[in-house]
Amino acid sequence: MFKSKIVKLVVNDVRFPTSLEQHGSDAMHSDPDYSVAYVVVETDADLKGYGLTFTVGRGTEIVVCAVEALSSLVIGKTLEEIVTDFSAFYRLLTSDGQMRWIGPEKGVIHLATAAILNAIWDMWARAESKPLWKLLVDMDPRKLIRCIDFRYITDALTEQEALDILEKAKAGKEEREEQMLKEGYPAYTTSCAWLGYSDEQLSQLCSAALAEGWTRFKVKVGADLQDDIRRCSLIRKMIGPENTLMIDANQRWNVGEAVSWITTLAEFRPLWIEEPTSPDDILGHAAISKALVPLGIGVATGEQCHNRVMFKQFLQASALQFVQIDSCRVGSVNENLAILLMAAKFKVPVCPHAGGVGLCELVQHLILFDYISLSASLNNRMCEYVDHLHEHFRSPTVIKNAHYMPPTDPGFSCEMLDESVQKYGFPHGDVWRSILKQKGSQDNFSE
Amino acid sequence: MFKSKIVKLVVNDVRFPTSLEQHGSDAMHSDPDYSVAYVVVETDADLKGYGLTFTVGRGTEIVVCAVEALSSLVIGKTLEEIVTDFSAFYRLLTSDGQMRWIGPEKGVIHLATAAILNAIWDMWARAESKPLWKLLVDMDPRKLIRCIDFRYITDALTEQEALDILEKAKAGKEEREEQMLKEGYPAYTTSCAWLGYSDEQLSQLCSAALAEGWTRFKVKVGADLQDDIRRCSLIRKMIGPENTLMIDANQRWNVGEAVSWITTLAEFRPLWIEEPTSPDDILGHAAISKALVPLGIGVATGEQCHNRVMFKQFLQASALQFVQIDSCRVGSVNENLAILLMAAKFKVPVCPHAGGVGLCELVQHLILFDYISLSASLNNRMCEYVDHLHEHFRSPTVIKNAHYMPPTDPGFSCEMLDESVQKYGFPHGDVWRSILKQKGSQDNFSE
């Protein structure tokens, strides 16, 4: 399997018209159409790899274009060549002498890198006949750190420190793996309180979630203070004082504004405020974090934190109290390993971002690895869950009693159903042909 | 003119095969083909606007794709609508509810935004029959600050502070404008010492530059320490102790490595070290800056600093001593105004990045405005100059005695010759057809 040579890379623009029902709406993304740039890597053997990066509609075609540009760096390589010196392959993709200019390691080109590398990791796990989390958990620490590009982070984490963290956490690994297989990893839900939902819809969804055993809930805030007070009050009443509430502003505020707005919402006792301001503003997040200490509210961010260098600084500056890794924003497992190891070193809990399309499927592997092989703790830790669009995947997430149950199928769980890829293909799939025809124009859904 | 409605936006992928002669080579970009995504905005009147963003070859097609995606937000608007509330138009482009996900305000989508906004500013200056620098210098401060999106920077610079800086600098403006028209703005040259040049080539170019009156020289370093010592020694001997030397590592080092490498080169008395490490590493640059204080060497960065939020933090953290604005990396004049004003507030000199294709043509306008309307100082200030590819522009830069002479033609100086756009169009222009045919493959120049 490892001698298989990559001979083809196909990328598809697949969009789901979620904006029609306000799913996923927040203070900065009022009408998202959850989408993916979906990558299939084919070899000269039976082995394939499936990867994706998540987007929210318009602009997906730009990421598709970037995947195509990067594909020449991938085709012709064998799986063995790639994984034997995986950090060199990572560097090849991220430091191409011409393409790095339009990043580097950020935005469109990095989202494209993530989609491709996710497919490579999927392929590797399939070649080993293991789900990705198990591939990582079983991997020799020295091999594992050879997947990481340590450039620009050695002032916070050296290779030796990374090794030490992995070696030290070996104690109790088997027990934790068994525990996960039995109980799963704790999740929280964001499905109840998107910004575009009415109070009635919110109440209904919240009741249903409580009945299903959910105990941790996230509410979108930041567009209108009075609305936020009403909605937070409603949710807090429904879930009671014992359950956990988080709030998420999706980058809506300036630094000063963030502090005063959150102070007003403090009476609802949120565990964290997520993305209070620009995802680039490390010092701003540090100032907000400091101001919120007396209120007992932490700052969470990461879904738009664009690479390990940014996460490094967020940790160095004590600018976050919850690290929200994303499986598609940074350079796939390779870069997330660096981020998880830095979070472990700085003793900050990791609570992954998920939702969208495929993000739950992907990130569950990383957080399982984090618990079993790194953090060894569930204290203040949980993984986001959103109950949408899982039906399009061949191995969808399994949630039991508000916990992610470890995937058992080999791979990274993001292979989509062929039918879904066809039907939701943009703009020529059946679903989009019909929507675009009904709308009579492409105003909101232009290519 | 202001009622003209934008009816068409055309974008071209134009590449110059500079890698064939190692022009522009540095420690991270070994084979750049200087390129542009070139935008022409057409109206229903005679008025047009020309804009571009700079790239280095492969990947330009991705930026072109992004410009096309953004174009629907531009077409149908009148110049008047745009410039009456320019920050709102800026926000429209940068905060589209779907497309912001693939940035926000960084990488490909922000380079595309820059190309479009550069064209709009060119159009505005043409409508006023003024070169852009003069449009800015003459603009009422209140109108000027309405071009700026202050989101995420009010903790460093409020609208009122920006106004105060502009008002205060009114004293002596006319004299400074006259001075610039007579003497021009001081420049430095990077043309002599690209990393791929031989010592002989370097000596020849340096002699010629000295003869032309150049007194400030930049050398590329960072690939090999012994090479750097030899090259810096050679240049310092040639230019003598009085002239100014700068060194540029193009992000090659980790933080610790940067400090030790620069310490070794300190004997050649560089004024600054440029891009010692990752452009995202604010805290790393702050650590390097601090370590270099005893050596009397400053840190310069900015050409890949992706937006005003990053510049804000570099300034807040004292992480740079020279602000290198770029005319295409951030959101055009709008965002550069914010950066220039923040630099003025923090009293850090601005020394723009230029070179490539069109960067000199564009950025000269911004630095003239900075001197005349903001900084009122030439102390430790100069603008980069590279003597390449100017012949493709209708109003190329004019350098006299190592100074940029203020442009006089209306607009932003980046209108290209039709013939150049055709001939160097990628991949179908004559030049590329011939290169690709000669190479017999597209290995190094794939689309």
Side-chain angles (χ1 to χ4, degrees):
Chain A
M1 291 293 238
F2 284 86
K3 303 286 182 192
S4 312
K5 183 183 279 190
I6 296 171
V7 292
K8 197 174 170 189
L9 189 158
V10 180
V11 54
N12 278 282
D13 182 336
V14 184
R15 307 189 192 184
F16 300 91
T18 44
S19 66
L20 300 178
E21 297 177 59
Q22 295 272 297
H23 302 323
S25 54
D26 66 48
M28 296 294 267
H29 311 91
S30 53
D31 63 341
D33 286 322
Y34 282 171
S35 308
V36 291
Y38 179 62
V39 170
V40 183
V41 175
E42 298 180 18
T43 65
D44 53 8
D46 264 354
L47 189 65
K48 288 189 183 184
Y50 302 86
L52 59 81
T53 195
F54 171 63
T55 51
V56 301
R58 285 186 297 277
T60 309
E61 75 280 13
I62 308 168
V63 181
V64 165
C65 180
V67 170
E68 283 165 352
L70 289 168
S71 67
S72 67
L73 301 172
V74 180
I75 289 167
K77 298 272 187 307
T78 65
L79 180 57
E80 189 175 41
E81 280 174 293
I82 291 172
V83 304
T84 301
D85 190 357
F86 210 156
S87 72
F89 182 73
Y90 177 89
R91 183 81 64 96
L92 181 79
L93 288 188
T94 56
S95 295
D96 175 81
Q98 296 190 348
M99 280 187 280
R100 80 182 298 279
W101 185 266
I102 60 173
E105 295 182 82
K106 60 178 64 73
V108 168
I109 195 82
H110 215 39
L111 290 164
T113 301
I116 290 173
L117 288 174
N118 282 340
I120 301 291
W121 278 96
D122 178 68
M123 181 183 275
W124 188 3
R126 285 170 193 261
E128 301 266 16
S129 301
K130 290 178 180 176
L132 182 100
W133 66 269
K134 182 67 174 154
L135 171 72
L136 295 174
V137 163
D138 292 347
M139 199 180 293
D140 178 80
R142 278 165 307 221
K143 189 164 181 181
L144 201 98
I145 69 158
R146 280 205 304 276
C147 301
I148 299 173
D149 187 351
F150 281 86
R151 178 181 268 175
Y152 302 141
I153 59 169
T154 52
D155 54 326
L157 180 80
T158 63
E159 291 191 36
Q160 189 57 51
E161 286 173 315
L163 259 184
D164 293 347
I165 291 168
L166 284 160
E167 291 293 344
K168 200 179 154 196
K170 275 188 177 171
K173 257 181 77 173
E174 282 174 33
E175 292 76 10
R176 291 194 293 276
E177 185 175 333
E178 275 169 40
Q179 179 198 357
M180 284 297 106
L181 288 168
K182 216 168 92 186
E183 299 171 13
Y185 193 91
Y188 72 86
T189 178
T190 310
S191 294
C192 301
W194 295 107
L195 208 57
Y197 285 2
S198 68
D199 287 4
E200 198 188 345
Q201 202 170 0
L202 195 148
S203 300
Q204 265 172 8
L205 289 166
C206 196
S207 293
L210 284 163
E212 283 169 23
W214 292 93
T215 59
R216 302 167 170 108
F217 300 80
K218 194 162 80 186
V219 181
K220 296 286 179 176
V221 299
D224 179 276
L225 183 56
Q226 292 312 313
D227 281 351
D228 289 353
I229 293 171
R230 199 187 68 251
R231 290 156 48 86
C232 286
S233 168
L234 177 64
I235 292 253
R236 179 47 89 191
K237 266 185 210 140
M238 291 198 65
I239 67 175
E242 297 307 317
N243 285 323
T244 306
L245 176 71
M246 286 84 70
I247 57 176
D248 183 358
N250 291 88
Q251 314 169 17
R252 183 65 182 229
W253 304 311
N254 286 326
V255 174
E257 196 183 2
V259 173
S260 67
W261 198 300
I262 302 159
T263 303
T264 309
L265 298 180
E267 62 170 308
F268 307 110
R269 294 190 304 106
L271 174 66
W272 74 51
I273 171 67
E274 183 170 330
E275 291 202 310
T277 189
S278 163
D280 296 337
D281 198 351
I282 298 150
L283 301 179
H285 280 81
I288 296 167
S289 290
K290 207 172 162 186
L292 298 185
V293 168
L295 301 175
I297 302 171
V299 169
T301 192
E303 71 184 66
Q304 295 201 10
C305 186
H306 59 260
N307 61 33
R308 67 195 178 286
V309 182
M310 296 299 285
F311 273 108
K312 176 187 79 168
Q313 296 172 84
F314 272 98
L315 289 163
Q316 289 172 321
S318 304
L320 44 61
Q321 287 70 52
F322 299 91
V323 167
Q324 298 184 301
I325 57 164
D326 183 283
S327 52
C328 299
R329 174 72 58 182
V330 301
S332 184
V333 180
N334 310 72
E335 195 161 21
N336 269 313
L337 287 173
I339 297 162
L340 292 175
L341 281 158
M342 288 194 288
K345 167 150 181 221
F346 284 85
K347 302 191 195 313
V348 176
V350 176
C351 298
H353 170 243
V357 195
L359 296 178
C360 298
E361 275 69 17
L362 288 161
V363 91
Q364 60 182 338
H365 292 272
L366 303 178
I367 198 62
L368 283 164
F369 164 76
D370 182 63
Y371 176 62
I372 298 168
S373 296
L374 285 177
S375 78
S377 166
L378 294 177
N379 187 32
N380 263 339
R381 286 168 167 89
M382 51 188 153
C383 185
E384 185 167 21
Y385 181 71
V386 182
D387 193 14
H388 277 147
L389 306 171
H390 301 288
E391 65 276 20
H392 301 292
F393 291 86
R394 197 164 295 281
S395 307
T397 48
V398 177
I399 296 287
K400 276 193 192 155
N401 193 32
H403 284 64
Y404 276 91
M405 299 312 293
T408 52
D409 290 346
F412 206 172
S413 307
C414 65
E415 181 183 354
M416 297 182 82
L417 302 179
D418 290 343
E419 196 199 333
S420 298
V421 175
Q422 293 306 317
K423 206 167 139 190
Y424 292 91
F426 187 88
H428 300 301
D430 288 350
V431 167
W432 286 105
R433 269 214 274 238
S434 150
I435 288 173
L436 296 171
K437 200 173 159 192
Q438 269 175 38
K439 286 187 67 80
S441 89
Q442 298 202 4
D443 281 355
N444 198 32
F445 300 103
S446 62
E447 216 177 325
Chain B
M1 290 291 240
F2 285 86
K3 303 286 184 193
S4 311
K5 182 184 280 190
I6 296 170
V7 293
K8 197 173 170 186
L9 188 158
V10 180
V11 55
N12 278 282
D13 182 337
V14 184
R15 307 189 191 184
F16 300 91
T18 43
S19 65
L20 300 178
E21 298 177 57
Q22 296 271 296
H23 301 323
S25 54
D26 66 47
M28 296 293 268
H29 310 91
S30 53
D31 63 340
D33 287 323
Y34 283 172
S35 308
V36 290
Y38 180 61
V39 170
V40 182
V41 174
E42 297 179 19
T43 65
D44 54 7
D46 263 353
L47 190 63
K48 288 189 182 184
Y50 303 85
L52 59 82
T53 194
F54 170 63
T55 52
V56 301
R58 286 185 297 278
T60 308
E61 75 280 14
I62 309 169
V63 181
V64 164
C65 180
V67 169
E68 283 164 353
L70 289 168
S71 67
S72 66
L73 301 172
V74 180
I75 289 167
K77 299 271 187 307
T78 66
L79 179 58
E80 189 175 41
E81 281 175 291
I82 292 173
V83 305
T84 302
D85 189 358
F86 209 156
S87 71
F89 182 72
Y90 178 89
R91 182 82 65 97
L92 181 78
L93 288 187
T94 55
S95 296
D96 175 80
Q98 296 190 349
M99 281 187 280
R100 80 182 297 281
W101 184 266
I102 61 173
E105 295 182 82
K106 61 177 64 72
V108 168
I109 197 81
H110 215 39
L111 290 164
T113 301
I116 290 173
L117 287 174
N118 281 340
I120 301 291
W121 278 96
D122 178 68
M123 181 183 274
W124 188 3
R126 285 170 193 261
E128 300 266 17
S129 302
K130 289 179 181 177
L132 183 99
W133 67 268
K134 182 68 173 153
L135 171 72
L136 294 175
V137 162
D138 292 348
M139 199 180 294
D140 178 80
R142 278 164 307 220
K143 189 165 182 181
L144 202 98
I145 69 157
R146 279 204 305 275
C147 300
I148 299 172
D149 186 351
F150 281 86
R151 178 181 268 176
Y152 303 142
I153 58 169
T154 52
D155 54 325
L157 181 80
T158 63
E159 291 192 34
Q160 188 57 50
E161 286 173 315
L163 259 184
D164 293 347
I165 291 168
L166 285 160
E167 290 293 345
K168 197 176 155 199
K170 276 187 175 170
K173 257 180 78 172
E174 282 174 33
E175 293 75 10
R176 291 194 294 276
E177 184 175 333
E178 275 170 40
Q179 180 199 357
M180 286 295 108
L181 288 168
K182 216 167 93 185
E183 300 170 12
Y185 194 91
Y188 72 86
T189 178
T190 310
S191 293
C192 301
W194 295 108
L195 208 56
Y197 285 4
S198 68
D199 287 3
E200 198 188 347
Q201 201 171 1
L202 194 147
S203 301
Q204 266 172 8
L205 289 166
C206 195
S207 293
L210 284 163
E212 282 168 24
W214 293 93
T215 60
R216 302 167 170 108
F217 300 81
K218 193 162 81 187
V219 182
K220 296 286 177 176
V221 299
D224 179 277
L225 182 57
Q226 292 312 314
D227 280 353
D228 289 353
I229 293 171
R230 199 187 68 250
R231 290 155 49 84
C232 285
S233 168
L234 178 63
I235 293 253
R236 178 49 89 191
K237 267 185 209 140
M238 292 198 66
I239 68 175
E242 297 306 317
N243 285 324
T244 305
L245 176 69
M246 287 84 70
I247 56 176
D248 183 357
N250 292 87
Q251 314 168 19
R252 183 66 182 230
W253 304 311
N254 286 325
V255 174
E257 196 183 4
V259 173
S260 68
W261 197 300
I262 302 159
T263 303
T264 308
L265 298 180
E267 62 171 308
F268 307 110
R269 296 190 303 105
L271 175 66
W272 75 53
I273 171 66
E274 184 170 330
E275 290 201 310
T277 189
S278 163
D280 296 337
D281 199 351
I282 298 150
L283 301 180
H285 280 80
I288 297 166
S289 290
K290 206 171 163 189
L292 298 184
V293 169
L295 302 174
I297 302 171
V299 168
T301 192
E303 72 185 66
Q304 294 201 10
C305 186
H306 59 259
N307 61 35
R308 68 195 178 283
V309 183
M310 296 299 287
F311 273 107
K312 176 187 77 168
Q313 295 173 85
F314 272 98
L315 290 163
Q316 288 172 322
S318 303
L320 44 60
Q321 287 71 51
F322 300 91
V323 168
Q324 298 184 300
I325 57 165
D326 182 283
S327 52
C328 299
R329 174 71 59 181
V330 302
S332 183
V333 180
N334 309 73
E335 194 160 21
N336 269 314
L337 287 173
I339 297 163
L340 293 174
L341 281 157
M342 287 192 290
K345 169 154 176 215
F346 284 84
K347 301 192 195 313
V348 175
V350 176
C351 298
H353 171 242
V357 195
L359 296 177
C360 299
E361 276 69 16
L362 287 161
V363 90
Q364 60 182 336
H365 292 272
L366 303 178
I367 199 61
L368 283 165
F369 164 76
D370 182 62
Y371 176 63
I372 298 168
S373 295
L374 284 178
S375 79
S377 167
L378 294 177
N379 188 31
N380 263 339
R381 286 168 168 89
M382 50 188 153
C383 186
E384 185 166 22
Y385 181 71
V386 182
D387 193 14
H388 277 147
L389 305 172
H390 301 287
E391 65 276 19
H392 302 291
F393 291 86
R394 198 165 295 278
S395 307
T397 48
V398 177
I399 297 287
K400 277 193 190 153
N401 193 31
H403 284 63
Y404 276 92
M405 300 310 293
T408 51
D409 289 346
F412 205 173
S413 306
C414 66
E415 181 183 354
M416 297 183 81
L417 302 179
D418 291 341
E419 196 197 330
S420 297
V421 175
Q422 293 306 317
K423 206 166 140 189
Y424 293 91
F426 187 88
H428 300 301
D430 288 349
V431 167
W432 285 105
R433 271 214 274 237
S434 151
I435 289 172
L436 295 172
K437 201 173 158 192
Q438 270 176 40
K439 284 186 68 78
S441 87
Q442 299 202 5
D443 281 356
N444 198 32
F445 299 104
S446 61
E447 216 177 325

